[in-house]
Amino acid sequence: MSKTALITGASSGIGEATARVLGEAGYDLVITARRTDRLQKLSDELEERYGIRVHALGFDVRDRIQTESALQALPAHFRQIDLLVNNAGLASGLEHIDEGDPLDWDKMIDTNIKGVLYVTRIVAGWMIQRGQGGHIVNIGSIAGSQVYENGAVYCASKHAMHALSEGMRIDFLHHGIKVSEIRPGMVETEFSTVRFHGDQQRADNVYKGIEPLTGHDIAEVIRWIVTLPAHVNINEIVVMPNQQADAHYTYRK
Ligand code: NDP
Ligand code: 8X3
């Protein structure tokens, strides 16, 4: 019997790479994001390449009603979720708090914290009902343990992801659901373009002189974590580019 994974934020970056890697590993997939054109293209490609079943599902994780109704409308097969990857998230803006845009704060808090809760509540509920355990992989960040100037709200949202991961691990312990938090450093995706509201030059400068991680690097870590024996769990793992020591120190060539 093939396993099924639901990946949020699969229209780009880490989520898209994870869909590719899990698809190659034989998982049936539910891939979600707002940009459904991208999801549909990815779904067609992965079904064709790996002979798996893929369901593309468009919703905005910030909208609880939309999230719940999209998930509840999934065909029965795709509600038998073995693995949930809570990946959808973003940074928006990079300013001191007194100059920050509250609309950016809403986006980060609503997506990175409330969105994770809305999706997890439903999918973990299905796992518990089914009674066969499961695995939840949360994409946190080094920003979940360190705070840097101008990034207070994003860092707060990833500190929250860390707390939610710990909370899920406790709450789901007696249901046999593993919870793993991955905390990457710099990964070159659309992350910085989104953070700088489409300013590509500013986004490119973030990675100047550094070989950053790729979405695929993180996806391979997920592949490893989910193939460990049933009695083994990786609670959390920090993954960094070799040229980055932590949130404050990078060595640029
Ligand atoms: P990308 O911008 O490439 O991908 C983000 C994904 O999240 C997209 O698929 C996007 O899809 C989805 N998403 C964003 N907002 C929403 C929303 N409201 N509803 C549904 N989906 C949404 O960035 P990354 O791949 O880098 O980011 C993935 C995760 O990794 C995030 O949680 C990020 O915080 C975390 N991370 C990233 C690091 C990095 O350096 N890149 C480092 C550490 C952690 P769409 O726009 O189509 O809805
Ligand atoms: C994203 C990476 O550099 O903002 O979580 O901490 S960083």
Side-chain angles (χ1 to χ4, degrees):
M1 276 276 286
S2 68
K3 290 190 168 186
T4 302
L6 187 150
I7 305 162
T8 66
S11 62
S12 77
I14 295 170
E16 180 186 338
T18 302
R20 290 181 185 283
V21 162
L22 294 180
E24 187 188 24
Y27 277 81
D28 286 338
L29 299 173
V30 181
I31 51 175
T32 85
R34 291 165 301 181
R35 288 171 291 180
T36 45
D37 51 335
R38 287 191 181 204
L39 293 179
Q40 201 47 60
K41 219 170 139 212
L42 181 63
S43 165
D44 294 345
E45 183 197 323
L46 296 182
E47 283 193 327
E48 165 86 25
R49 183 174 297 177
Y50 299 120
I52 56 169
R53 295 169 72 181
V54 184
H55 192 97
L57 196 60
F59 61 89
D60 185 330
V61 295
R62 293 172 298 177
D63 184 330
R64 182 171 60 83
I65 304 297
Q66 202 187 109
T67 299
E68 288 176 356
S69 25
L71 289 172
Q72 297 292 7
L74 272 172
H77 168 74
F78 288 105
R79 273 182 270 138
Q80 316 285 309
I81 308 285
D82 300 283
L83 168 63
L84 165 63
V85 182
N86 277 317
N87 163 76
L90 80 169
S92 195
L94 192 69
E95 287 104 10
H96 285 175
I97 289 171
D98 55 301
E99 290 165 347
D101 181 344
L103 292 177
D104 281 334
W105 301 347
D106 287 347
K107 273 189 212 164
M108 291 185 274
I109 290 168
D110 291 351
T111 311
N112 301 356
I113 306 176
K114 290 161 74 180
V116 170
L117 284 167
Y118 297 157
V119 172
T120 304
R121 182 171 166 276
I122 301 291
V123 177
W126 291 337
M127 287 176 177
I128 290 165
Q129 244 177 17
R130 203 167 149 223
Q132 294 179 24
H135 201 151
I136 299 173
V137 174
N138 291 330
I139 308 300
S141 168
I142 53 164
S145 53
Q146 289 188 292
V147 179
Y148 50 84
E149 188 175 6
N150 294 313
V153 178
Y154 177 70
C155 292
S157 75
K158 289 297 178 178
H159 274 65
M161 178 60 123
H162 179 59
L164 291 178
S165 300
E166 288 199 342
M168 288 178 201
R169 201 171 295 120
I170 296 163
D171 289 354
F172 303 147
L173 181 63
H174 58 294
H175 296 294
I177 298 173
K178 296 183 185 183
V179 179
S180 305
E181 183 191 7
I182 302 185
R183 301 158 80 168
M186 278 184 199
V187 189
E188 191 165 14
T189 60
E190 294 178 10
F191 178 86
S192 293
T193 312
V194 172
R195 163 169 264 172
F196 298 127
H197 305 124
D199 183 339
Q200 195 53 47
Q201 201 173 351
R202 208 173 159 201
D204 291 343
N205 280 338
V206 172
Y207 311 106
K208 231 178 200 152
I210 285 184
E211 186 179 347
L213 298 168
T214 63
H216 183 76
D217 293 327
I218 304 302
E220 286 294 349
V221 172
I222 295 175
R223 187 211 296 261
W224 172 68
I225 285 177
V226 302
T227 46
L228 288 168
H231 68 288
V232 179
N233 185 45
I234 300 299
N235 277 12
E236 49 187 82
I237 183 166
V238 180
V239 189
M240 302 296 284
N242 201 22
Q243 288 172 260
Q244 185 182 21
D246 63 11
H248 305 290
Y249 291 95
T250 48
Y251 172 63
R252 293 178 195 267
K253 285 186 190 163

